[in-house]
């Protein structure tokens, strides 16, 4: 779009004879009129040359031997060349496809999921309307790993990296960036979006020392929420007081008798 397309008249002029007699040679003429027609008649302008008028007897009013056309709107155009002499007409036509710069846009049916999860794409790129099909290339990179997991994803639903609207399946948690590169006759461009894939949290209770006779404990823990905020903590202190807590940092849990006790923690994201 907005670049010059040059078209050139390469027609072969016909000839016709006029006048003459039994003892007089005829006059031979090879003058050919021409006219250009561009359809549709909008979305373009001439940088040089003129379309011409085939019905004029003035050679200066006939079509130029070439045209420099600037197309300002994408689409398919038909360029006609009409030539005429005293013997008749001839017409030829060529189509030209004009595309805008590549445009890459897509949306995802969700940008968050817990493993395993399938995410589908909806390609809304402007290049889908190109009269010459654009090329599409999808790629995913994990940018943040979590829960001691490495990148794990693949295409699914019988799709692949050059489909217009593929589907992905994610098997490991992490932050992933989805890239769509669109390439057409003009250039390439890329659009990205980010997906968060989570898993159940991973936690461990820090060591609680042994005590003599009675004890008051303030348990602590380590947790990886796998990129998904914790929504619930449930502590259990068998034979302790109190014997349960929903705090992320319970304190002053007391035991008044000697023995071996179990402390457990359930966390949910």
């Amino acid at each position: 779009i907005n670049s010059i397309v040059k078209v050139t008249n390469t027609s072969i002029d016909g000839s016709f004879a006029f006048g003459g007699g039994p003892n007089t040679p005829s006059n031979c003429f090879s003058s050919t009129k021409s006219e250009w027609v561009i359809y549709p008649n909008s979305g373009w302008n001439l940088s040089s040359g003129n379309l011409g008028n085939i019905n004029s007897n003035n050679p200066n009013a006939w079509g130029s031997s070439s045209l420099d056309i600037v197309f300002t709107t994408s689409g398919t155009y038909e360029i006609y060349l009409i030539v005429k002499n005293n013997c008749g007409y001839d017409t030829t036509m060529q189509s030209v496809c004009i595309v805008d710069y590549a445009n890459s846009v897509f949306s995802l049916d969700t940008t968050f999921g817990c493993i395993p999860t399938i995410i589908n794409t909806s390609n809304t790129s402007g290049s889908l309307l190109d009269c010459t099909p654009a090329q599409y290339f999808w790629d995913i990179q994990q940018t943040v790993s979590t829960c001691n997991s490495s990148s794990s994803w693949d295409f699914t639903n019988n799709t692949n990296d050059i489909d217009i609207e593929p589907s992905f399946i994610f098997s490991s948690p992490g932050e992933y960036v989805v890239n769509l590169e669109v390439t057409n006759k003009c250039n390439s461009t890329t659009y990205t979006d980010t997906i968060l894939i989570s898993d159940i949290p991973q936690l461990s209770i820090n060591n609680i020392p042994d005590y003599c006779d009675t004890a008051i404990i303030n348990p602590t823990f380590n947790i990886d929420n796998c990129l998904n905020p914790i929504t619930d903590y449930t502590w259990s202190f068998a034979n302790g007081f109190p014997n349960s807590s929903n705090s992320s940092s319970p304190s002053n849990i007391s035991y008044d008798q000697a023995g071996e006790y179990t402390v457990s923690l359930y966390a949910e994201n």
Side-chain angles (χ1 to χ4, degrees), residues 29-67:
F29 296 92
S30 59
S31 179
T32 301
K33 302 177 181 180
S34 63
E35 180 177 341
W36 299 91
V37 177
I38 304 173
Y39 180 83
N41 58 9
S42 61
W44 55 271
N45 57 69
L46 294 181
S47 174
S48 66
N50 61 284
L51 299 177
N53 180 1
I54 204 169
N55 296 314
S56 174
N57 290 320
N58 180 1
N60 293 326
W62 300 342
S64 301
S65 60
S66 65
L67 298 177

Side-chain angles (χ1 to χ4, degrees), residues 96-109:
V96 59
C97 171
I98 303 299
V99 297
D100 204 344
Y101 291 104
N103 173 261
S104 175
V105 183
F106 66 87
S107 61
L108 304 168
D109 60 355

Side-chain angles (χ1 to χ4, degrees), residues 45-97:
N45 57 69
L46 294 181
S47 174
S48 66
N50 61 284
L51 299 177
N53 180 1
I54 204 169
N55 296 314
S56 174
N57 290 320
N58 180 1
N60 293 326
W62 300 342
S64 301
S65 60
S66 65
L67 298 177
D68 287 339
I69 311 168
V70 178
F71 292 93
T72 57
T73 303
S74 59
T76 300
Y77 294 81
E78 295 177 347
I79 303 174
Y80 293 85
L81 174 62
I82 308 166
V83 293
K84 173 188 177 184
N85 65 12
N86 282 15
C87 295
Y89 293 84
D90 192 22
T91 302
T92 186
M93 185 275 289
Q94 287 195 20
S95 295
V96 59
C97 171

Side-chain angles (χ1 to χ4, degrees), residues 114-173:
C114 296
I115 64 165
T117 190
I118 292 176
I119 294 182
N120 302 300
T121 61
S122 177
N123 190 340
T124 55
S125 302
S127 297
L128 289 168
L129 302 176
D130 287 357
C131 42
T132 297
Q135 295 178 321
Y136 302 89
F137 178 74
W138 297 84
D139 181 50
I140 296 179
Q141 299 291 330
Q142 187 187 60
T143 55
V144 176
S145 61
T146 186
C147 286
N148 298 313
S149 298
S150 58
S151 174
S152 180
W153 67 274
D154 203 352
F155 294 94
T156 190
N157 295 336
N158 295 316
T159 62
N160 58 46
D161 59 352
I162 58 173
D163 279 336
I164 292 178
E165 294 181 334
S167 299
F168 317 113
I169 183 168
F170 295 87
S171 304
S172 289

